[in-house]
Amino acid sequence: MSKAMLRTLRPQTTFCSIRTQASRSFITIPSTEPQSLTASRILPYKSTSLYTLIADVDSYSSFLPYCQHSRVTKWSSPDKDGKRWPSEADLRVGWGAFEETFTSRLFCIPGSVVEALSGDAVTTLSRANLAHHSATLNSPTAGNKIFQSLSTRWTVKPFLYKPPTSRPQTDKTEHEARPQTEVHLTIDFQFGNPIYAALSKAVAPKVAGIMIEAFEVRARKLLDGPGSAVREKHPFNGAFSAGKKIGA
């Protein structure tokens, strides 16, 4: 082949290469890699009062964004105090024109953790704390069209706040501490469909913050003043009533 012919073909070959690269870039499939979101709040209520609200899974659809329906379908065996906790629930989530109903397994460490799992998600909670969930601990999770795996974990723990004092450190005067609680939310998920990953790209990173803000609003609405003034009740013996405060 002559040098003249090579000079003629070389620009065309380069152009084809560039066009191919551009095409490959244009059809890149959105990422479905695992993602993790977290959010925290410190609220002026007893941890037991806030845990009661979190464990009331049937009420999720009344205050959590994107949750259109929530219903507990199975309950745990009695724990050491004789109380039963949600063990399985049907949830319907949706945004825009998309919605999906799926089943989540629930694991409750009374007074501390409420965890919901769907798809391939597996609990990392200590089995020693989940004896009352033994019937569902090893049961398979139901798949769904949106998530390959989804783990939502609410954790509460007392946060002791003591008002600062301007008096010298040698002053022995005691200052009454207010009961407060740190509420932590972790969401680990992996989309099973790249289309959902693409559609939720702008919303997904904000979900944990939106959810915990919604929970804070609910806590303020239902808990009557400081947590110490709330009459403690188990969440499933009639303590909750739509539009009413606990203890009202």
Side-chain angles (χ1 to χ4, degrees):
M1 184 178 292
S2 67
K3 292 183 179 179
M5 293 181 65
L6 284 174
R7 284 195 298 270
T8 302
L9 292 174
R10 191 172 293 136
Q12 295 176 353
T13 303
T14 303
F15 173 76
C16 291
S17 176
I18 293 173
R19 183 173 59 184
T20 301
Q21 291 174 3
S23 299
R24 288 175 181 172
S25 176
F26 179 75
I27 62 173
T28 298
I29 298 176
S31 173
T32 56
E33 293 298 312
Q35 300 180 60
S36 183
L37 307 173
T38 62
S40 297
R41 288 287 189 280
I42 295 176
L43 302 179
Y45 305 105
K46 283 184 178 180
S47 60
T48 49
S49 300
L50 293 174
Y51 185 84
T52 294
L53 298 183
I54 293 171
D56 185 23
V57 177
D58 280 332
S59 295
Y60 279 13
S61 58
S62 67
F63 72 95
L64 284 181
Y66 314 116
C67 183
Q68 300 175 346
H69 174 78
S70 54
R71 184 173 67 89
V72 176
T73 56
K74 290 183 181 179
W75 299 84
S76 73
S77 302
D79 64 11
K80 62 181 181 179
D81 296 319
K83 298 177 180 178
R84 296 178 182 271
W85 301 92
S87 186
E88 193 172 281
D90 289 336
L91 303 171
R92 184 170 72 244
V93 299
W95 65 90
F98 295 87
E99 68 175 45
E100 177 72 16
T101 299
F102 56 89
T103 299
S104 288
R105 288 190 299 160
L106 301 167
F107 298 115
C108 300
I109 300 179
S112 177
V113 177
V114 175
E115 181 181 66
L117 304 177
S118 183
D120 297 337
V122 178
T123 187
T124 57
L125 297 173
S126 171
R127 289 175 175 261
N129 295 321
L130 300 175
H132 49 291
H133 285 294
S134 58
T136 57
L137 195 54
N138 297 314
S139 61
T141 55
N144 63 82
K145 297 178 182 178
I146 298 180
F147 297 102
Q148 181 175 327
S149 66
L150 174 63
S151 171
T152 303
R153 182 184 294 184
W154 294 85
T155 305
V156 300
K157 63 180 180 180
F159 181 88
L160 186 62
Y161 168 80
K162 197 167 186 177
T165 176
S166 58
R167 299 188 180 186
Q169 294 291 329
T170 54
D171 191 342
K172 302 298 183 180
T173 304
E174 292 291 333
H175 292 266
E176 183 180 357
R178 291 185 296 156
Q180 292 196 118
T181 300
E182 180 181 356
V183 180
H184 188 75
L185 172 63
T186 301
I187 305 174
D188 295 312
F189 64 98
Q190 182 174 3
F191 285 106
N193 188 323
I195 294 177
Y196 286 117
L199 290 173
S200 66
K201 185 176 181 181
V203 177
K206 305 175 184 177
V207 167
I210 291 172
M211 287 177 63
I212 206 163
E213 286 176 7
F215 174 73
E216 182 177 2
V217 171
R218 178 168 176 79
R220 289 176 177 173
K221 179 180 179 180
L222 295 183
L223 300 180
D224 187 15
S228 59
V230 177
R231 178 157 54 96
E232 298 294 341
K233 283 190 177 182
H234 187 53
F236 317 113
N237 64 359
F240 296 130
S241 179
K244 294 183 179 180
K245 297 178 181 179
I246 295 177

